[in-house]
Amino acid sequence: MDAKTQKYDRQLRLWGSGGQQALESAHILLINASAVGCEILKNLVLPGIGQFTIIDQGTVTQSDIGSNFFLDADSLGKSRAERAAELLGELNEDVSGHWVAKDILSALTENPSFLAQFSMVVASDISRQVAEKVSSLCWTNQHAIPFVWVKTVGLLGTARLILPEHAIVETHPDNVADIRIDNPFPELSNYAKSFDFNTQDTLEFGHIPYVAILLKYMEEWKQEHDGKIPGTYAEKNQLKANIRSGMRSGDDENFDEAINSVLRSCQPTAVPSAIKTIFSDPKCETLNPESSDFWILARAVRDFVNDHGKSGGLLPLSGTIPDMKAQTDSYVTLQSIYKTKAKQDVQEVSKLVDAVLESLGRAPGSIASEKIETFCKYSAFLKVIRYRSLEDEYTQPKTKQIASWLSEEDSLFAQYVLLRASDSFFDDHGRYPGEGNDWEEDVDHLHANVATLLQSWGIDTDVISKDQTHEIQEVIKLITHQYIPMDNTFIFDGARSVSAVFAV
Amino acid sequence: MVDAQTITDNERWAGVYKLLDRNSLIHPEFEPQEEIKEFIQSCKILVIGAGGLGCEILKNLALSGFCDIHVIDMDTIDVSNLNRQFLFRRADVGKPKAVTAAAFINKRVQGVTVTPHYCKIQDKDEDFYSEFALVICGLDSIEARRWMNATLVGMRDEDNPDSLKPLIDGGTEGFKGQARVILPGITSCYECSMDMLSKPTGFPLCTIANTPRLPEHCIEWAHILEWPNVHGERKMDTDDPKDIQWLYETALARARQYNIQGVTYSLTQGVVKNIIPAIAATNAIIAASCCNEALKIATTCAKNLNNYMMYSGNDSVYTYTFEHQRKDDCPVCSTSATKLDFKGDKTLEELMDYLKEKPDVQLKKPSFAVGGKPLYMQAPKQLEEAMRPNLQKPLSELFSSGDELTITDSTLPFSLQIIVTFI
Ligand SMILES: [Zn+2]
């Protein structure tokens, strides 16, 4: 094992070399070297992003040193961006850190395409005005740049994810097994028939794989029921009873496994509705030379599904089976039956991918075969998240939804309202509530801001009475394109140790 | 007159003092007092573990105003720690975690003293533990947590309020984790929630020996069966790459023989060391929550967590906060014995295997006694040999239905009382 694999072992077990490569090619911009900003960057530098840049025009104060681990006593009076970049850079020799001692707005005035060099932007301690500017630049950049806006106040923390679309192939579902007992392909049916259920050899009988047991009893059921699989609860129980009657000793583990799988196997194999939605997405229907690999692959899989002769109307087979009581040979044979079928499906999809690529003027084979294989394997679990823009959040509030969130008991949405109100407070006073000594007076002003906000949503102003660190790993999930990130605003209330996610 | 140090302190802790100087909106009973600030500076806090969680916890405590922090850890730094244990550098590999972490914090955060203890938690006695205001655990071992929990619960004397040591326990696994607050004798304890743990993974010996199907089966064959065959008495060192390499090659050869795919060096290491994936971000989240609770308990600026927060970051971000209930027959925090129904014709060995695997018991090397009379003892050797035949006897020959068994295990600082009813 090389040094890098050793160092990253504990995380490679989660996101593999593909995820790691994605991290290593990322360049993250941190706007403001605040305590929470530096903590976020720390959690990205450690797993090994390629580069980071910190932009911050401030100099280090006592209170920065007291709250930010990546600023020390020697940093006092020096550039915050420079010192934080230095101390964060020490965490990982494979990461290169840069800094800019400027204010983000002036950097953008000097160079309007300043943000285009980054793969993601994370900001904290910025005003709404700055957030809107950065957000719209990120959103409209040629390749949209994900933007994470973080706020912390006292024991309250919130993060908002802003990007047009995020598509994930490796969602890491708990179980990708796709057994198809209800609808076996010919090789599978033949396999099931190869077992002798009348054998006198107890060892052999006790090791008939449950898939073969299920297939035998399901086939018999179908013959007696016009080719239909059990539909009702009573029918499923009857199938279980049929299997149980075939047991010899009463504790044949393989028969137990079969019985335990009846309910799942009686779910007809079909394209999940969430995947159908992806197939009918305009981005899947109408491809263009700018289409991302995700949509090209989605289209090819859709065409595969629609070609009933090849797919039977089903998604490509995942090719994964669970462990089960079986002799080595029969298990390995069964495994290879599923794998072979999965490979055939991948080959069919690959042909379609090449056809699509050609029609778009791209070279056939320009999407790597491993990528096609992964896409097929996880095709039942694909996920596309479309986020709302910050502009929409502000100009087209979901008033009905907001009213309903606020009406829930102990709703954390009140905290969202307070944070929005504190932005309004900043607009009015040029500072955040509670920053000065007259914090009691600030509360009254803040309350007025809350009332104004609620009125603009047409909501009764007495729904909110009062109130206030956290950072998250959302960034990693966005970069690696694995696992599912949140949509779109996360709130953590440290006073009560509770959290919630709202799609505002 | 306000001296220069106070001014600096006030500036430096401006963030924390905003919480401590104001009548809290979140906890109306809270009264700001100078004594509270003095208390967090002077009280002693104990951190168990200087690993992924421990590094984070130490940093957070130091930045929250706690000045007298102790840390216990018996481990030394490994290369694979560097992706998250940010107080360590490549040059530190091989050094004790506790010592290195303490030195780093002491250098980085002025005015904070972290005292390292490079030893096992079991090496310290109750006198040691009683010096602390509260204990935060950032461990990956069930055994160590059970020990710490039982020790702190055992130390509590209802007539002496100072004997109550709040235990804040954090744990992570990949993108998931949990943080909880245990008030010994008041809330549910670690032992009360043992049944929430999943069954320890293991493969049946007959599968490993006769019908391997998965790469893991081949690895376990090399690990459990082939190693002692080839190496005799020599114990395997899972931290020695040479031993892992041997296991990998042996497992690979077996896998080839059976046509099984997927044996890799990394998988071999993962299986034999029972490696749990770990990342910086999840540790940061759980540690933040633990320290948040520590600050709340020490200052009363807000109500503490009652008493369990589960966190999952696989799919979006999800937390679930609830009150875990005490277990009536908890062997640590209650006085009543656990009840168990078991077939009287089963052997003592079968009972032992059952208890080893049962998630809420998880014994390693249990010894059994009934009414003060030993049934089976793990040590000394002569006694073990003399009593071994009992393992094969049916329970009904050894004691009567309804008898109370006393079970001890070297890994547990308490004994289990189980009333066994034959069915
Ligand atoms: Zn208990």
Side-chain angles (χ1 to χ4, degrees):
Chain A
M1 256 205 299
D2 61 90
K4 220 175 201 177
T5 312
Q6 279 180 27
K7 180 164 87 176
Y8 294 137
D9 178 79
R10 298 301 185 269
Q11 67 200 45
L12 291 171
R13 290 174 194 276
L14 286 169
W15 53 67
S17 57
Q20 191 62 31
Q21 259 167 27
L23 265 180
E24 288 172 14
S25 56
H27 185 174
I28 312 258
L29 174 70
L30 173 68
I31 301 176
N32 290 336
S34 63
V36 65
C38 288
E39 286 291 325
I40 293 173
L41 213 45
K42 175 202 77 194
N43 295 335
L44 293 166
V45 169
L46 287 165
I49 49 167
Q51 306 177 59
F52 69 85
T53 296
I54 300 176
I55 183 164
D56 189 328
Q57 68 168 355
T59 49
V60 178
T61 64
Q62 280 290 359
S63 127
D64 288 331
I65 296 168
S67 63
N68 191 334
F69 196 70
F70 300 97
L71 294 172
D72 59 5
D74 295 341
S75 312
L76 195 67
K78 295 182 184 157
S79 154
R80 281 216 302 183
E82 180 183 4
R83 286 301 291 161
E86 241 173 79
L87 294 186
L88 281 162
E90 286 175 3
L91 298 178
N92 192 339
E93 65 271 22
D94 299 327
V95 179
S96 60
H98 318 276
W99 55 276
V100 182
K102 272 181 197 159
D103 154 69
I104 182 70
L105 285 182
S106 36
L108 289 170
T109 313
E110 278 170 39
N111 174 11
S113 56
F114 174 70
L115 297 177
Q117 58 183 308
F118 303 108
S119 41
M120 182 169 311
V121 177
V122 177
S124 70
D125 271 359
I126 56 168
S127 69
R128 174 169 54 190
Q129 186 205 355
V130 175
E132 280 177 317
K133 170 106 188 172
V134 171
S135 160
S136 98
L137 285 169
C138 286
W139 189 277
T140 53
N141 193 60
Q142 194 184 3
H143 299 285
I145 307 165
F147 173 43
V148 183
W149 180 19
V150 183
K151 297 182 206 173
T152 58
V153 191
L155 297 178
L156 185 68
T158 176
R160 167 75 153 98
L161 232 63
I162 307 158
L163 75 158
E165 176 187 294
H166 185 64
I168 316 127
V169 178
E170 292 170 73
T171 46
H172 293 260
D174 290 334
N175 185 0
V176 291
D178 178 7
I179 306 289
R180 304 203 173 167
I181 302 291
D182 62 314
N183 193 0
F185 42 98
E187 296 83 353
L188 189 54
S189 299
N190 292 338
Y191 172 80
K193 288 185 194 121
S194 71
F195 289 90
D196 177 11
F197 281 77
N198 298 314
T199 176
Q200 292 309 306
D201 184 336
T202 327
L203 187 79
E204 195 183 314
F205 185 78
H207 281 82
I208 301 174
Y210 88 79
V211 168
I213 299 173
L214 258 179
L215 280 165
K216 170 187 151 71
Y217 285 91
M218 187 69 98
E219 215 37 57
E220 287 173 6
W221 176 279
K222 284 202 241 171
Q223 273 168 19
E224 287 160 20
H225 295 84
D226 303 326
K228 289 199 185 79
I229 62 168
T232 65
Y233 185 65
E235 286 177 337
K236 289 170 193 167
N237 274 340
Q238 186 54 51
L239 178 60
K240 282 188 189 176
N242 294 354
I243 297 173
R244 199 169 289 121
S245 70
M247 279 174 131
R248 286 192 190 157
S249 66
D251 56 32
D252 291 319
E253 244 181 88
N254 50 344
F255 276 73
D256 281 332
E257 289 177 349
I259 290 165
N260 290 335
S261 307
V262 162
L263 292 186
R264 219 174 325 118
S265 304
C266 291
Q267 289 290 354
T269 310
V271 180
S273 64
I275 304 304
K276 282 186 186 150
T277 309
I278 291 177
F279 288 164
S280 59
D281 193 288
K283 282 199 155 178
C284 188
E285 302 264 5
T286 320
L287 296 170
N288 60 55
E290 309 291 298
S291 292
S292 66
D293 287 358
F294 179 90
W295 289 110
I296 293 171
L297 290 164
R299 172 57 172 266
V301 170
R302 189 197 78 164
D303 292 349
F304 171 78
V305 171
N306 287 346
D307 185 346
H308 278 250
K310 296 215 167 77
S311 65
L314 300 176
L315 289 170
L317 192 73
S318 77
T320 308
I321 60 167
D323 186 30
M324 62 194 78
K325 184 111 196 256
Q327 301 277 21
T328 305
D329 288 348
S330 51
Y331 182 79
V332 171
T333 308
L334 183 64
Q335 209 176 25
S336 79
I337 287 172
Y338 279 100
K339 274 193 184 153
T340 309
K341 171 77 169 85
K343 256 192 202 138
Q344 287 166 1
D345 287 357
V346 170
Q347 269 165 12
E348 291 300 333
V349 172
S350 300
K351 285 184 207 158
L352 294 163
V353 171
D354 283 346
V356 174
L357 285 170
E358 219 162 351
S359 74
L360 297 172
R362 282 180 60 179
S366 58
I367 295 182
S369 56
E370 297 82 36
K371 206 167 171 180
I372 302 175
E373 222 170 278
T374 308
F375 197 92
C376 289
K377 183 170 176 180
Y378 294 107
S379 58
F381 306 95
L382 303 171
K383 183 124 186 159
V384 174
I385 306 177
R386 295 225 163 84
Y387 292 86
R388 285 190 93 209
S389 67
L390 203 56
E391 196 186 347
D392 284 354
E393 180 184 338
Y394 290 158
T395 59
Q396 297 166 48
K398 299 175 170 176
T399 48
K400 256 195 193 148
Q401 179 72 66
I402 288 173
S404 134
W405 281 328
L406 279 172
S407 67
E408 286 162 24
E409 207 179 328
D410 288 334
S411 170
L412 272 179
F413 198 75
Q415 272 73 348
Y416 168 83
V417 180
L418 285 165
L419 290 163
R420 284 283 305 273
S422 87
D423 285 335
S424 310
F425 185 104
F426 184 89
D427 292 343
D428 297 345
H429 304 269
R431 62 175 179 85
Y432 287 100
E435 279 185 340
N437 289 324
D438 291 335
W439 62 278
E440 274 156 326
E441 204 174 293
D442 287 359
V443 172
D444 293 336
H445 287 294
L446 184 64
H447 233 52
N449 293 121
V450 169
T452 314
L453 197 58
L454 290 172
Q455 273 159 8
S456 76
W457 294 333
I459 292 169
D460 231 8
T461 52
D462 58 7
V463 294
I464 292 179
S465 55
K466 251 6 117 70
D467 280 278
Q468 333 13 64
T469 306
H470 232 222
E471 37 67 67
I472 32 169
Q473 59 209 16
E474 290 312 292
V475 180
I476 285 183
K477 291 198 271 176
L478 286 173
I479 305 173
T480 58
H481 272 257
Q482 296 184 25
Y483 298 94
I484 303 167
M486 65 185 195
D487 178 15
N488 53 31
T489 300
F490 173 77
I491 296 180
F492 179 79
D493 179 355
R496 287 190 281 150
S497 295
V498 292
S499 77
V501 173
F502 300 103
V504 290
Chain B
M1 235 345 248
V2 190
D3 60 44
Q5 186 58 41
T6 310
I7 294 171
T8 318
D9 272 2
N10 283 342
E11 274 179 43
R12 189 167 147 207
W13 305 117
V16 183
Y17 286 179
K18 270 188 187 129
L19 282 172
L20 303 181
D21 282 341
R22 298 170 177 187
N23 279 99
S24 172
L25 300 167
I26 38 181
H27 192 206
E29 296 104 85
F30 177 67
E31 286 282 346
Q33 289 165 36
E34 285 304 309
E35 287 80 8
I36 292 175
K37 293 191 207 167
E38 281 159 25
F39 179 71
I40 59 169
Q41 289 192 14
S42 62
C43 72
K44 289 174 79 164
I45 305 277
L46 178 63
V47 178
I48 315 272
L53 280 167
C55 286
E56 289 281 346
I57 292 168
L58 291 169
K59 171 205 70 185
N60 294 348
L61 291 176
L63 294 176
S64 302
F66 293 98
C67 296
D68 190 356
I69 306 166
H70 287 240
V71 59
I72 304 187
D73 198 306
M74 58 179 280
D75 275 345
T76 53
I77 298 159
D78 181 77
V79 186
S80 65
N81 300 147
L82 301 178
N83 81 325
R84 60 197 187 283
Q85 302 178 14
F86 62 94
L87 301 177
F88 312 139
R89 304 287 173 265
R90 210 169 261 281
D92 297 323
V93 169
K95 294 181 189 163
K97 286 186 176 180
V99 177
T100 313
F104 196 105
I105 301 270
N106 291 342
K107 184 163 172 274
R108 177 66 57 90
V109 190
Q110 285 188 345
V112 171
T113 310
V114 180
T115 309
H117 301 273
Y118 173 39
C119 64
K120 289 187 187 170
I121 49 173
Q122 291 85 350
D123 295 343
K124 298 287 184 187
D125 57 14
E126 288 194 4
D127 286 345
F128 173 82
Y129 291 112
S130 65
E131 288 175 39
F132 298 94
L134 58 90
V135 178
I136 309 184
C137 275
L139 292 162
D140 55 7
S141 137
I142 294 171
E143 207 179 298
R145 279 198 181 96
R146 288 176 94 175
W147 191 91
M148 201 62 243
N149 174 69
T151 302
L152 294 181
V153 173
M155 278 163 58
R156 191 192 171 217
D157 169 4
E158 271 181 64
D159 301 322
N160 173 12
D162 284 343
S163 69
L164 181 105
K165 307 291 174 193
L167 171 64
I168 302 168
D169 181 56
T172 70
E173 186 173 341
F175 281 101
K176 296 179 179 159
Q178 80 282 332
R180 64 190 292 189
V181 171
I182 295 168
L183 302 176
I186 299 170
T187 66
S188 86
C189 77
Y190 186 75
E191 201 69 27
C192 288
S193 61
M194 283 291 288
D195 56 3
M196 286 170 76
L197 298 170
S198 46
K199 216 173 161 183
T201 46
F203 303 102
L205 214 55
C206 59
T207 301
I208 297 171
N210 306 317
T211 56
R213 298 176 294 269
L214 304 180
E216 289 86 350
H217 295 156
C218 302
I219 295 166
E220 285 294 32
W221 176 82
H223 180 200
I224 298 169
L225 300 173
E226 202 57 8
W227 178 275
N229 261 347
V230 174
H231 297 91
E233 288 291 293
R234 186 166 90 77
K235 262 191 88 181
M236 180 189 313
D237 177 4
T238 55
D239 288 326
D240 184 345
K242 281 199 290 295
D243 285 3
I244 299 285
Q245 184 67 26
W246 183 89
L247 286 173
Y248 162 59
E249 284 165 11
T250 310
L252 191 63
R254 181 165 171 91
R256 288 212 175 108
Q257 182 194 337
Y258 282 93
N259 239 326
I260 295 167
Q261 289 174 2
V263 172
T264 61
Y265 184 91
S266 162
L267 184 70
T268 307
Q269 207 183 20
V271 169
V272 298
K273 295 179 76 171
N274 190 22
I275 291 178
I276 295 162
I279 56 169
T282 311
N283 284 329
I285 289 166
I286 296 303
S289 182
C290 291
C291 295
N292 204 10
E293 295 311 321
L295 184 69
K296 290 194 286 181
I297 291 173
T299 65
T300 69
C301 74
K303 281 188 182 143
N304 61 270
L305 166 68
N306 184 25
N307 50 31
Y308 205 115
M309 184 189 82
M310 287 205 295
Y311 163 82
S312 169
N314 270 341
D315 184 346
S316 185
V317 182
Y318 175 80
T319 65
Y320 176 55
T321 305
F322 66 100
E323 182 177 352
H324 186 269
Q325 299 294 331
R326 286 182 74 171
K327 206 169 141 189
D328 291 335
D329 58 356
C330 171
V332 169
C333 74
S334 92
T335 47
S336 47
T338 310
K339 291 183 180 65
L340 176 74
D341 292 338
F342 212 76
K343 283 185 183 157
D345 58 358
K346 296 262 184 187
T347 64
L348 185 58
E349 185 162 39
E350 284 171 308
L351 177 68
M352 182 156 96
D353 289 342
Y354 171 79
L355 291 173
K356 278 184 183 170
E357 281 201 5
K358 201 169 178 284
D360 60 349
V361 184
Q362 292 197 27
L363 301 171
K364 295 252 157 63
K365 286 184 141 192
S367 298
F368 294 82
V370 64
K373 184 175 99 347
L375 293 176
Y376 176 72
M377 304 301 282
Q378 295 276 356
K381 205 165 170 245
Q382 291 89 335
L383 200 55
E384 193 278 333
E385 279 167 7
M387 307 193 88
R388 205 182 293 163
N390 276 353
L391 288 177
Q392 305 311 324
K393 289 184 188 160
L395 298 177
S396 54
E397 270 183 37
L398 296 166
F399 57 91
S400 317
S401 182
D403 277 356
E404 190 171 311
L405 289 189
T406 302
I407 303 166
T408 51
D409 193 304
S410 57
T411 61
L412 298 178
F414 56 91
S415 63
L416 282 168
Q417 308 294 333
I418 299 184
I419 297 172
V420 181
T421 307
F422 296 154
I423 47 166

